[in-house]
Amino acid sequence: METHPRNSSFSSCSAYLRALAHTPARVSRRALSVSTSYEEMSRVRAKSGSDMRKTLRWYDLVCFGIGGMVGAGVFVTTGRASRLNAGPAIVISYAIAGLCALLSAFCYTEFAVDMPVAGGAFSYLRVTFGEFAAFLTGSNLILEYVMSNAAVARGFASYFGTAIGVPTAKWRLKVDGLPDGFNEIDVLAVAVVLVITFVICYSTRDSSVVNMILTVLHILFIAFVILMGFWKDPKNPSGFFPYGAKGVFNGAAMVYLSYIGYDAVSTMAEEVKNPVKDIPIGVSGSVIIVTVLYCLMAASMSMLMPYDMIDAEAPFSGAFSGKSDGWKWVSNVIGVGASFGILTSLLVAMLGQARYMCVIGRSSVVPAWFARVHPKTSTPVNASAFL
């Protein structure tokens, strides 16, 4: 495919139709063709016009990693894995899952240091397995990010409404003529997505500052949860390995989902001042910190109550809600803290999806319009706004 915009397959409807007719020949020619690190960092990156400004340091990446991983999911996954799989040994499950996540993070780190571009896994596959594997991965990543971010934004509205005691139905608009369950517009979720989109379009540096603030607040709430757990002793202590070693590893497989998000940090590689130093510290450091936090949260939950009495859907807030001994307020505090976690994970994911789309645009798989980097903001505004 020619790189000149006027000769592009997306330059006009007739050009696109002609390109469709040539699809078999193009697939056979490009499916297994690989790029190189030099091409990705020079000729391919030049298609964006302006460069993304290098403003991030290792502490920015650490906060992005923590913000991307520590969402509201851990407040649910911990209880389900403890009650159904590992029991109090959920602490070991989190440690095992954290080790596996760290090994995977080392792989992302090695690629990102060798090739500091915004494409993440998409770019890594282009230089190893070829364009077809990269295309399949990029398509799945974009679909995953868009669908999950929509669900997370809607989840934030529900979680925040529950935390402050306001029914979500009050800020949802019903649309007549649509089937039940698909006829409500969540105004708060839409507003959150629009605000975050504005932030990530305006500046990556400012996005990092916002993420730092939200991440610090979230960590403070997590520290509060941990302290409450160790403060409130259980009345019916149980054994540490009720399900044996098999249960521990089954629990590790379940809680590994709580570590998803560190891969989005690799899409920031193009905007890092010193990739060789900052990326290893940022990616690996965030996984290590999150592992410690998760293990402490799991230990705290085991201190709250016996594993067979844990609410699998809301273990932490459920341990305090409905109590008449003055502990119910803790449940509301936990809900507010989880809401901050949802915002940070949404912010990091939306940053990552825009950079994936930008680099996919550079590869000419989608119109080059998505690859444009705004000269003033130094961010992929087109990709961010579209997604």
Side-chain angles (χ1 to χ4, degrees), residues 184-305:
E184 294 182 345
I185 297 177
D186 200 318
V187 178
L188 181 59
V190 172
V192 166
V193 170
L194 292 177
V195 170
I196 293 179
T197 299
F198 173 79
V199 172
I200 66 176
C201 286
Y202 182 74
S203 167
T204 302
R205 176 74 256 171
D206 291 345
S207 299
S208 177
V209 172
V210 172
N211 177 71
M212 282 185 182
I213 295 172
L214 293 175
T215 298
V216 169
L217 291 173
H218 190 209
I219 291 178
L220 290 176
F221 278 104
I222 289 177
F224 172 79
V225 171
I226 294 171
L227 290 175
M228 288 295 101
F230 285 106
W231 190 330
K232 195 169 183 283
D233 296 328
K235 299 179 181 179
N236 300 301
S238 54
F240 190 72
F241 288 100
Y243 297 101
K246 180 180 179 181
V248 172
F249 284 100
N250 287 337
M254 180 176 290
V255 301
Y256 186 82
L257 295 174
S258 300
Y259 287 92
I260 292 177
Y262 63 84
D263 58 305
V265 179
S266 65
T267 66
M268 310 291 174
E270 196 170 312
E271 300 160 89
V272 177
K273 287 187 176 181
N274 186 357
V276 175
K277 173 187 175 183
D278 294 338
I279 293 176
I281 297 176
V283 178
S284 304
S286 62
V287 174
I288 293 173
I289 293 173
V290 167
T291 300
V292 173
L293 289 176
Y294 283 170
C295 289
L296 289 174
M297 289 184 69
S300 170
M301 188 190 64
S302 298
M303 292 293 293
L304 280 172
M305 61 178 58

Side-chain angles (χ1 to χ4, degrees), residues 36-38 40-41 110-118 120 123-125 127 269:
T36 64
S37 299
Y38 176 77
E40 292 294 317
M41 293 188 293
E110 184 174 358
F111 275 112
V113 169
D114 180 66
M115 190 173 60
V117 294
S123 295
Y124 307 154
L125 285 169
V127 301

Side-chain angles (χ1 to χ4, degrees), residues 63-235:
C63 286
F64 275 131
I66 296 174
M69 284 182 277
V70 187
V74 64
F75 288 94
V76 178
T77 307
T78 308
R80 185 181 299 275
S82 179
R83 178 159 185 170
L84 303 179
N85 295 105
I90 185 65
V91 177
I92 300 178
S93 298
Y94 266 115
I96 294 173
L99 176 61
C100 295
L102 185 61
L103 295 176
S104 178
F106 287 158
C107 297
Y108 274 91
T109 297
E110 184 174 358
F111 275 112
V113 169
D114 180 66
M115 190 173 60
V117 294
F122 176 82
S123 295
Y124 307 154
L125 285 169
R126 267 171 60 87
V127 301
T128 51
F129 293 100
E131 292 203 358
F132 185 66
F135 166 74
L136 290 179
T137 302
S139 302
N140 280 284
L141 283 169
I142 293 298
L143 181 63
E144 171 195 343
Y145 272 110
V146 171
M147 299 299 292
S148 63
N149 288 343
V152 168
R154 194 174 176 91
F156 167 80
S158 300
Y159 218 111
F160 186 73
T162 302
I164 63 176
V166 177
T168 55
K170 287 191 175 182
W171 53 56
R172 286 181 178 173
L173 300 178
K174 286 194 174 182
V175 180
D176 296 331
L178 295 178
D180 291 339
F182 300 91
N183 60 341
E184 294 182 345
I185 297 177
D186 200 318
V187 178
L188 181 59
V190 172
V192 166
V193 170
L194 292 177
V195 170
I196 293 179
T197 299
F198 173 79
V199 172
I200 66 176
C201 286
Y202 182 74
S203 167
T204 302
R205 176 74 256 171
D206 291 345
S207 299
S208 177
V209 172
V210 172
N211 177 71
M212 282 185 182
I213 295 172
L214 293 175
T215 298
V216 169
L217 291 173
H218 190 209
I219 291 178
L220 290 176
F221 278 104
I222 289 177
F224 172 79
V225 171
I226 294 171
L227 290 175
M228 288 295 101
F230 285 106
W231 190 330
K232 195 169 183 283
D233 296 328
K235 299 179 181 179

Side-chain angles (χ1 to χ4, degrees), residues 323-342:
K323 302 293 183 181
S324 57
D325 53 1
W327 290 92
K328 189 178 185 304
W329 63 274
V330 179
S331 176
N332 295 331
V333 173
I334 292 173
V336 174
S339 299
F340 282 116
I342 294 176

